[in-house]
């Protein structure tokens, strides 16, 4: 099955547990449609570059999935209809990298930047 990575932003007035329950909810949507949630990370409340629906901040969450395209389409459809989700980004990847995402790594653990 194809591998995907998803990032979504939820409203800032949700509690942390409500935002994390959204991750579980969308994971069950995937599993009900023949996919699986490989890994998920809750990144916390972050300030956005611009306002979205009059919100300056949002709860960020990251999902790694292994699912057929129909399951991903259904999950995205439900995310866009959900009142608490403001934005969704899905990309198809060739492989999932091991370990935490760059957002969760400490500055010392990251790979050095490319020098020109």
């Amino acid at each position: 099955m194809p591998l995907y990575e998803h990032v979504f932003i939820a409203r800032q007035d949700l509690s942390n547990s409500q935002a994390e329950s959204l991750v579980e909810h969308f994971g069950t949507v995937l599993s009900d449609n023949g996919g699986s949630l490989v890994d998920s990370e809750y990144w916390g409340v972050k300030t956005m570059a611009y306002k979205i629906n009059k919100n300056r901040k949002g709860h960020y969450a990251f999902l790694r999935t292994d699912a057929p395209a129909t399951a991903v389409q259904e999950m995205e459809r439900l995310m866009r209809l959900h009142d608490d989700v403001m934005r969704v980004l899905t990309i198809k990847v060739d492989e999932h990298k091991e370990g935490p995402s760059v957002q969760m790594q400490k500055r010392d653990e990251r790979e050095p930047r490319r020098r020109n």
Side-chain angles (χ1 to χ4, degrees):
M1 282 191 278
L3 304 174
Y4 295 93
E5 292 182 353
H6 315 271
V7 175
F8 70 89
I9 306 172
R11 291 183 309 128
Q12 68 184 3
D13 55 346
L14 296 176
S15 68
N16 290 351
S17 61
Q18 287 174 321
E20 289 177 2
S21 71
L22 284 175
V23 173
E24 295 172 9
H25 170 69
F26 293 122
T28 57
V29 168
L30 275 177
S31 61
D32 291 345
N33 289 300
S36 65
L37 182 65
V38 176
D39 187 25
S40 65
E41 294 177 358
Y42 172 67
W43 290 348
V45 178
K46 300 210 174 280
T47 303
M48 296 183 280
Y50 56 89
K51 287 184 181 180
I52 300 174
N53 299 338
K54 300 180 181 177
N55 291 305
R56 269 279 182 217
K57 296 182 179 188
H59 291 272
Y60 282 70
F62 176 70
L63 308 171
R64 290 183 178 132
T65 61
D66 183 8
T70 55
V72 172
Q73 289 172 349
E74 178 64 15
M75 184 185 74
E76 281 187 335
R77 185 184 75 81
L78 292 174
M79 280 183 171
R80 294 188 197 288
L81 290 174
H82 204 284
D83 291 336
D84 294 333
V85 178
M86 296 188 298
R87 287 286 190 274
V88 179
L89 174 70
T90 300
I91 59 169
K92 187 175 179 179
V93 294
D94 294 329
E95 63 179 324
H96 290 303
K97 294 185 179 179
E98 294 296 320
S101 65
V102 174
Q103 189 71 24
M104 297 299 288
Q105 292 175 1
K106 294 180 182 176
R107 189 173 292 266
D108 303 344
E109 297 171 358
R110 295 183 191 161
E111 295 177 15
R113 291 188 178 170
R114 191 177 73 200
R115 304 223 185 243
N116 290 342

